């Protein structure tokens, strides 16, 4: 992907649901959907949190007639826009080739389906491969298709399988004409109008049947559809605004995005006991679990927003993340079904600190969480995907040496912030000794500040700064950024950053220079131009690369320093010029609700400069009026 306007999918699912549905236009790519293609290979059951991460637990469903295609490309059909609909609670495709209107309405772990054919030939509902290996069996006595898929991407997921069950009315299926082959199943339908239902499980077919009975049962399609619409209405109404139409449409599109992730990854047995698959060892355990989240991205905006509008869900999420620590020995960093660890550092620290200061989780959970935070703050991991990369060097030098690890500047800054988060949790728990140790460690960012160049810079194990410094170089010592943005990644101690630069006025001068600098870059160790560079250059807000998370807090720093007017000017420009309710409506990767939450908070005139600190930056909102959970702000 050379340029991003969000990298999002039009997912139809329940808020935080375990099952998502999306049209597939090109199954050979992780970018498997494009709004520009007037055809579909089917409707994909997906869990993909990001195209950069990939998908898991998939299956492709496609109505067919006449000549049956066993692969997505062979089964594809053009789509008529009329009578087609993509909505949060409901998906409808008007497929030309099979002359079929295909409708789906999801619950949390299941979905209702309705197919209306206008053809004269025998209709089928086909289940095709989108990723991994599939196995199918059809039980004609019960009118059920049983399937499995073992697909997962870059994560650690021992013995993973998604089990799925599809229930038909027996009279709607011509069992004698069913075709099952390698990685496909064609279910012959005996009627031109058919309702069916599907449920998934990461545990067993039996658990999928439990979810099917609980969530669909005897309800017909329209009831499930109405229930989904009601669920979304409740979530989207947690913030009510008055604004012009462009802002209204963009705002609620962003609200929808923030409630997609993380996904529930637990199931309720027949007695209502929560169970989940454990990726680290493949075992089934009691308790809730959430997945599909990268904390390097989401800690900045998503969880502060959840602290306002999704406190109960936030509490469950933190318990789930701490549960991962109990099960595999490490708090999560970037979880798909299992741990991916694709971005650096352990920014789960900030999520826990935010929950702590907002009183969202109980003391026992915090005690357990602190154990996990202290573990990755002091213990090297044998696997790179877990813990803090380079922690031994950090403990020895107080920074990550650039000759030992790439992205050393951002690793050091993130570790210092993580140490501050540990101190905050320890303080709330009354552990003064831990607080004192880690609040001191939180000052380690000072070790990599170059007072001559006045930027945060890579430093080797002997204390020498990297040669050939250029603040426009991306990569190398920096993570998806250059020295311009990374130097300001000291949200937990802006006063200390002012001190390094020579005072508050000097930091304001730095911000002025950053916004006034050319939107230039050098590719450096990336070798080529990555999409974040392109996005910064095209929109030209100087070196404020708002297309990516490291710049999210930068426009708000003016307000923190007492110059609200500058913050208000830049944020209004960013929101009005770079966001809109269209497929190209984001200035960069949306990443599990992060950019959406940034827009929502910005419209409200609120921003959490430092997750874990109980303070909001407040500026003039973009909306005329707003209520959060019924209360005016």
């Amino acid at each position: 992907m050379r340029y991003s306007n969000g990298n999002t999918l039009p997912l139809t699912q329940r808020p935080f649901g375990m099952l998502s549905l999306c049209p597939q236009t090109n199954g050979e790519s992780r970018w498997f959907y494009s709004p520009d293609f007037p055809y579909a290979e089917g409707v994909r059951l997906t869990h993909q949190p990001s195209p950069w991460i990939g998908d898991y637990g998939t299956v492709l469903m496609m109505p067919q007639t006449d000549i049956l295609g066993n692969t997505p490309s062979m089964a594809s059909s053009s789509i008529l826009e009329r009578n087609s609909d993509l909505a949060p609670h409901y998906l409808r495709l008007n497929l030309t080739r099979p002359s079929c209107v295909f409708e789906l309405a999801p619950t949390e772990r299941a979905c209702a389906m309705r197919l209306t054919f206008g053809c004269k030939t025998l209709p089928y509902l086909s289940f095709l491969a989108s990723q991994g290996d599939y196995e199918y069996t059809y039980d004609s006595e019960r009118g059920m298709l049983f399937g499995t898929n073992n697909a997962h991407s870059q994560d650690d997921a021992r013995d993973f399988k998604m089990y799925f069950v599809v229930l038909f009315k027996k009279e709607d299926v011509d069992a004698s004409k069913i075709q099952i082959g390698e990685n496909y199943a064609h279910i012959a339908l005996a009627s031109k109008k058919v309702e069916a239902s599907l449920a998934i499980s990461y545990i067993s077919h039996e658990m999928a049947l439990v979810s099917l009975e609980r969530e669909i049962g005897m309800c017909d399609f329209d009831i499930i559809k109405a229930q989904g619409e009601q669920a979304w209405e409740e979530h989207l109404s947690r913030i009510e605004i008055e604004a012009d139409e462009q802002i209204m449409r963009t705002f609620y599109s962003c609200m929808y995005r923030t409630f997609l992730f993380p996904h529930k990854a637990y199931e309720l047995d027949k007695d209502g006991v929560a169970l989940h698959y454990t990726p680290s060892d493949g075992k089934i355990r009691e308790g809730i679990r959430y997945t599909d989240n990268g904390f390097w991205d989401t800690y900045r905006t998503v969880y502060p927003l959840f602290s306002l509008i999704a406190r109960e869900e936030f509490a469950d999420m933190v318990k789930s993340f701490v549960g991962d620590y109990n099960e595999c020995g490490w708090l999560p960093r970037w979880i798909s079904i299992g741990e991916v660890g694709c971005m650096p550092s352990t920014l789960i620290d900030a999520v826990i600190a935010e929950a702590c200061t907002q009183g969202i989780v109980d003391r026992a959970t915090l005690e357990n969480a602190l154990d996990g935070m202290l573990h990755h703050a002091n213990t090297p991991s044998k696997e790179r995907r877990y813990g803090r990369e380079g922690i031994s060097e950090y403990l020895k030098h107080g920074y990550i040496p650039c000759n030992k690890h790439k992205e050393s500047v951002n690793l050091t800054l993130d570790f210092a912030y993580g140490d501050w988060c540990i101190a905050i949790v320890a303080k709330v728990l009354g552990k003064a000794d831990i607080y004192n140790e880690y609040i001191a460690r939180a000052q380690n960012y000072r070790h990599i500040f170059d007072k001559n160049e006045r930027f945060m810079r890579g430093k080797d194990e002997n204390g020498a700064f990297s040669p050939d410094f250029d603040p426009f170089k991306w990569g190398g010592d920096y993570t998806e950024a250059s020295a311009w943005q990374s130097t300001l990644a000291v949200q937990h101690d802006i006063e200390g950053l002012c001190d390094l630069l020579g005072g508050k006025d000097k930091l304001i001068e730095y911000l002025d220079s950053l916004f006034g600098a050319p939107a230039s870059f050098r590719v450096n160790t990336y070798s080529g131009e990555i999409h974040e560079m392109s996005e910064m250059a095209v929109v030209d807000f100087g070196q404020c690369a708002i297309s990516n998370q490291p710049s999210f807090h930068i426009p708000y720093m003016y307000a923190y320093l007492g110059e609200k007017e500058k913050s208000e000017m830049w944020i209004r420009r960013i929101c009005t010029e770079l966001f809109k309710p269209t497929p190209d409506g984001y200035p960069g990767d949306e990443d599990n609700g992060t950019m959406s939450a940034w827009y929502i908070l910005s419209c409200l005139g609120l921003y959490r400069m430092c997750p874990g600190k109980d303070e909001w930056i407040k500026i003039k909102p973009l909306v005329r009026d707003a209520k959060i959970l019924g209360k005016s702000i």
Side-chain angles (χ1 to χ4, degrees):
M1 176 60 68
R2 301 291 295 272
Y3 192 89
S4 174
N5 285 122
N7 263 333
T8 58
L9 293 169
L11 297 177
T12 297
Q13 68 167 73
R14 291 287 178 93
F16 306 122
M18 185 167 141
L19 174 154
S20 301
L21 302 166
C22 180
Q24 176 175 302
T25 57
N26 179 15
E28 295 182 358
S29 169
R30 290 181 182 175
W31 284 261
F32 61 78
Y33 170 78
S34 170
D36 298 325
F37 296 164
Y39 61 82
E41 296 174 343
V43 174
R44 180 164 172 158
L45 193 160
T46 175
H47 301 94
Q48 181 164 288
S50 162
W52 305 109
I53 300 300
D55 211 344
Y56 66 92
T58 68
V59 66
L60 186 68
M61 297 171 281
M62 185 61 170
Q64 295 198 75
T65 59
D66 196 19
I67 299 174
L68 300 181
N70 296 334
T71 64
S73 61
M74 294 301 294
S76 65
S77 167
S78 55
I79 302 171
L80 293 178
E81 286 191 13
R82 62 181 182 274
N83 208 25
S84 291
D85 193 7
L86 300 178
H89 69 291
Y90 171 61
L91 191 160
R92 178 178 60 201
L93 296 183
N94 190 347
L95 298 162
T96 307
R97 179 176 163 190
S99 186
C100 179
V101 175
F102 189 22
E103 301 172 90
L104 303 97
T107 63
E108 288 193 339
R109 301 167 188 85
C111 77
M113 298 184 285
R114 183 162 62 194
L115 301 96
T116 305
F117 289 88
C119 58
K120 295 182 180 179
T121 53
L122 182 69
Y124 287 81
L125 178 58
S126 296
F127 296 82
L128 305 173
S130 56
Q131 185 179 345
D133 299 316
Y134 297 80
E135 294 181 355
Y136 295 100
T137 58
Y138 183 74
D139 184 337
S140 58
E141 290 297 316
R142 292 191 285 176
M144 289 183 179
L145 177 70
F146 293 86
T148 61
N149 172 241
N150 65 359
H152 64 99
S153 187
Q154 308 168 52
D155 55 337
D156 182 15
R158 186 79 57 84
D159 300 326
F160 172 74
K161 273 189 181 180
M162 182 186 76
Y163 301 83
F164 56 98
V165 177
V166 187
L167 173 63
F168 300 87
K169 293 178 182 177
K170 286 194 290 183
E171 61 269 25
D172 284 341
V173 175
D174 186 342
S176 66
K177 293 184 172 61
I178 288 175
Q179 300 178 32
I180 293 179
E182 185 177 356
N183 285 335
Y184 68 85
H186 303 306
I187 306 301
L189 303 176
S191 174
K192 298 298 174 67
K193 189 166 185 176
V194 171
E195 288 196 12
S197 53
L198 173 151
I200 67 167
S201 170
Y202 303 143
I203 297 172
S204 66
H205 284 123
E206 290 72 25
M207 283 294 290
L209 285 169
V210 170
S211 293
L212 190 68
E213 175 61 28
R214 177 182 289 115
E215 299 185 13
I216 303 287
M218 300 302 293
C219 295
D220 68 17
F221 183 91
D222 290 320
I223 291 175
I224 299 300
K225 177 184 172 185
Q227 290 172 347
E229 186 173 20
Q230 184 178 8
W232 275 109
E233 183 65 25
E234 187 279 320
H235 280 76
L236 297 179
S237 297
R238 293 182 185 184
I239 303 179
E240 299 174 84
I241 64 167
E242 293 181 11
D244 63 40
E245 182 180 356
Q246 176 85 348
I247 290 177
M248 289 282 285
R249 292 177 60 204
T250 308
F251 187 93
Y252 286 106
S253 293
C254 288
M255 282 283 285
Y256 150 74
R257 288 279 162 206
T258 61
F259 287 124
L260 292 173
F261 299 97
H263 285 148
K264 292 179 180 178
Y266 66 92
E267 303 157 49
L268 303 175
D269 71 10
K270 58 183 176 57
D271 298 317
V273 176
L275 301 173
H276 66 268
Y277 156 80
T278 306
S280 57
D281 60 13
K283 295 181 179 179
I284 308 303
R285 291 182 168 87
E286 286 192 12
I288 61 174
R289 186 168 190 267
Y290 283 78
T291 189
D292 299 329
N293 227 232
F295 302 109
W296 186 89
D297 303 299
T298 56
Y299 87 85
R300 305 166 198 263
T301 57
V302 170
Y303 291 97
L305 180 61
F306 285 172
S307 75
L308 295 176
I309 63 173
R311 291 175 66 87
E312 291 184 12
E313 294 98 327
F314 191 177
D316 284 345
M317 291 168 192
V318 173
K319 290 178 182 178
S320 159
F321 303 147
V322 174
D324 275 14
Y325 164 62
N326 294 331
E327 292 165 3
C328 81
W330 298 95
L331 284 165
R333 278 174 43 181
W334 214 126
I335 40 175
S336 187
I337 188 61
E339 180 61 64
V340 181
C342 75
M343 296 301 290
S345 309
T346 53
L347 277 311
I348 184 71
D349 294 329
V351 175
I352 294 168
E354 177 71 5
C356 174
T357 57
Q358 297 308 302
I360 285 172
V361 291
D362 59 85
R363 184 180 180 90
T365 301
L366 278 180
E367 292 273 9
N368 202 355
L370 182 60
D371 285 344
M373 297 165 82
L374 291 171
H375 178 65
H376 65 221
N378 295 282
T379 309
S381 169
K382 294 180 181 179
E383 287 193 62
R384 189 178 181 274
R385 71 178 75 226
Y386 294 105
R388 293 185 179 181
E389 182 183 357
I391 189 60
S392 297
E393 288 89 349
Y394 179 76
L395 295 174
K396 179 179 179 180
H397 300 285
Y399 62 91
I400 300 294
C402 60
N403 61 318
K404 295 290 186 179
H405 296 276
K406 65 178 183 178
E407 302 180 340
S408 62
V409 167
N410 290 89
L411 286 173
T412 299
L413 297 174
D414 288 345
F415 290 2
Y417 175 42
D419 289 342
W420 179 87
C421 293
I422 290 172
I424 293 304
V425 175
K427 184 177 182 179
V428 169
L429 292 172
K431 300 177 184 294
D433 53 340
I434 296 176
Y435 170 80
N436 291 331
E437 178 182 355
Y438 284 85
I439 205 70
R441 277 175 55 162
Q443 294 293 303
N444 281 340
Y445 70 88
R446 293 174 175 267
H447 294 310
I448 59 170
F449 182 75
D450 183 343
K451 63 182 180 180
N452 294 320
E453 295 286 355
R454 302 172 68 74
F455 286 102
M456 298 290 178
R457 292 188 54 195
K459 181 186 281 188
D460 69 20
E461 60 187 331
N462 297 316
F465 286 112
S466 296
D468 304 320
F469 175 69
D470 181 345
F472 293 92
K473 281 183 180 180
W474 280 51
D477 298 331
Y478 306 98
T479 304
E480 293 185 0
S482 70
W484 274 111
Q485 302 85 27
S486 301
T487 296
L488 299 176
V490 193
Q491 299 97 309
H492 65 287
D493 189 17
I494 294 176
E495 291 77 13
L497 182 60
C498 287
D499 178 60
L500 289 177
L501 287 166
K504 183 178 77 171
D505 291 344
K506 293 298 183 182
L507 180 51
I508 291 173
E509 287 179 12
Y510 183 103
L511 292 169
D512 290 342
S513 297
L514 179 145
F515 278 99
S520 302
F521 56 84
R522 290 180 61 191
V523 299
N524 197 24
T525 56
Y526 283 112
S527 300
E529 182 172 335
I530 63 174
H531 71 89
E532 290 88 352
M533 299 172 188
S534 308
E535 293 145 14
M536 180 185 74
V538 168
V539 302
D540 195 7
F541 281 74
Q543 287 294 314
C544 182
I546 203 66
S547 61
N548 208 27
Q549 288 80 9
S551 288
F552 276 9
H553 71 294
I554 291 175
Y556 285 93
M557 294 186 75
Y558 281 120
Y560 186 93
L561 298 168
E563 297 202 355
K564 284 189 176 182
E565 295 81 3
K566 288 184 178 179
S567 285
E568 289 167 352
M569 183 270 290
W570 285 115
I571 289 162
R572 179 172 290 276
R573 281 195 59 195
I574 291 167
C575 286
T576 56
E577 295 177 25
L578 305 183
F579 288 82
K580 49 192 173 182
T582 56
D584 60 347
Y586 292 103
D589 275 0
E590 204 282 321
D591 290 327
N592 302 154
T594 57
M595 195 164 284
S596 291
W598 187 93
Y599 179 84
I600 291 166
L601 292 169
S602 296
C603 284
L604 299 175
L606 296 173
Y607 197 77
R608 184 81 85 197
M609 177 66 69
C610 178
K613 281 190 180 180
D614 188 18
E615 60 184 30
W616 291 97
I617 300 293
K618 295 183 178 181
I619 63 171
K620 185 178 180 180
L622 273 67
V623 300
R624 291 187 293 272
D625 189 39
K627 292 181 180 179
I628 298 177
L629 301 180
K631 296 181 180 180
S632 296
I633 61 172

